[in-house]
């Protein structure tokens, strides 16, 4: 059953108005989303000009810490077990002239339950995606256009897909070389991976104008 869009209601709760600051004429407020008792199987983060840092949560809850303003804010919705966070720019074209908001306001910290989530998808531009010590049951997809992808001890039951443009893809995945069918595409860069078949899991890596350096743990 579909549920209505979650827009900074009580579920976000105590994280509201924790900290406010100004940048480029816009006032940013720190906020927190917490899943509470909501059942979430998959998480999708679809943003631009935002660094996204993902770690395992300590309390089996999904938590998102972020900043937003009246002109740069997020919609957070939950539908059929999928939690989706999307960035909205409510600006005139003249608002894009000048500097960006301070970097600290353009960072999202996501905590998800380790080994309990089914799928994780993160897409951003111009900033890095960083994931540390995380396992999901089926698939992980990380895509950064202009910021790179960095990770440690990344694990998925079926598939890992990593994409970057104008930056590097570096890190480590759990398991051995033989555990993965590897599909790698690289342009204007170097890679320590080659295409191979035979693994029960799939590792797909696409990098344009950057290097690929992935270890197996």
């Amino acid at each position: 059953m579909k549920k209505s869009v979650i827009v900074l209601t009580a579920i976000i709760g105590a994280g509201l108005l924790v900290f406010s600051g100004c940048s480029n004429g816009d006032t940013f407020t720190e906020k927190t989303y917490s899943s509470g008792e909501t059942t979430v199987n998959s998480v999708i983060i679809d943003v631009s000009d935002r660094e996204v840092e993902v770690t395992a949560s300590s309390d089996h809850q999904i938590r998102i810490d972020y900043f937003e303003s009246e002109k740069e804010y997020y919609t957070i919705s939950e539908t059929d077990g999928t939690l989706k966070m999307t960035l909205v720019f409510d600006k005139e074209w003249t608002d894009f002239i000048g500097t960006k908001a301070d970097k600290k306001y353009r960072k999202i910290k996501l905590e998800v339950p380790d080994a309990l989530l089914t799928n994780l998808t993160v897409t951003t531009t111009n900033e890095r995606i960083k994931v540390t010590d995380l396992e999901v049951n089926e698939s992980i997809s990380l895509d950064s256009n202009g910021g790179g992808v960095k990770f440690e001890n990344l694990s998925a039951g079926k598939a890992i897909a990593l994409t970057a443009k104008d930056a590097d893809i570096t890190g480590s995945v759990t398991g051995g070389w033989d555990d993965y069918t590897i599909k790698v595409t690289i342009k204007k860069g170097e890679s320590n991976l080659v295409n191979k078949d035979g693994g029960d899991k799939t590792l797909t890596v696409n990098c344009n104008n950057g290097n690929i350096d992935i270890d197996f743990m």
Side-chain angles (χ1 to χ4, degrees), residues 99-179:
T99 61
K100 295 180 180 180
D102 191 270
K103 189 175 181 64
K104 67 181 179 181
Y105 301 133
R106 294 184 289 110
K107 184 172 184 177
I108 298 169
K109 294 182 179 180
L110 169 65
E111 297 180 7
V112 296
D114 190 39
L116 294 180
L117 204 64
T118 302
N119 303 292
L120 172 66
T121 301
V122 180
T123 304
T124 191
T125 63
N126 302 320
E127 295 290 347
R128 180 180 66 174
I129 299 172
K130 183 179 180 181
V131 184
T132 306
D133 296 328
L134 187 66
E135 178 182 356
V136 302
N137 293 325
E138 290 190 7
S139 69
I140 296 175
S141 177
L142 309 176
D143 186 335
S144 177
N145 186 341
V149 177
K150 186 175 182 179
F151 49 93
E152 296 178 7
N153 298 326
L154 197 63
S155 178
K158 293 183 178 179
I160 297 174
L162 309 167
T163 302
K165 184 178 180 181
D166 297 328
D168 299 333
I169 298 175
T170 60
S172 60
V173 297
T174 62
W177 174 270
D178 292 335
D179 294 329

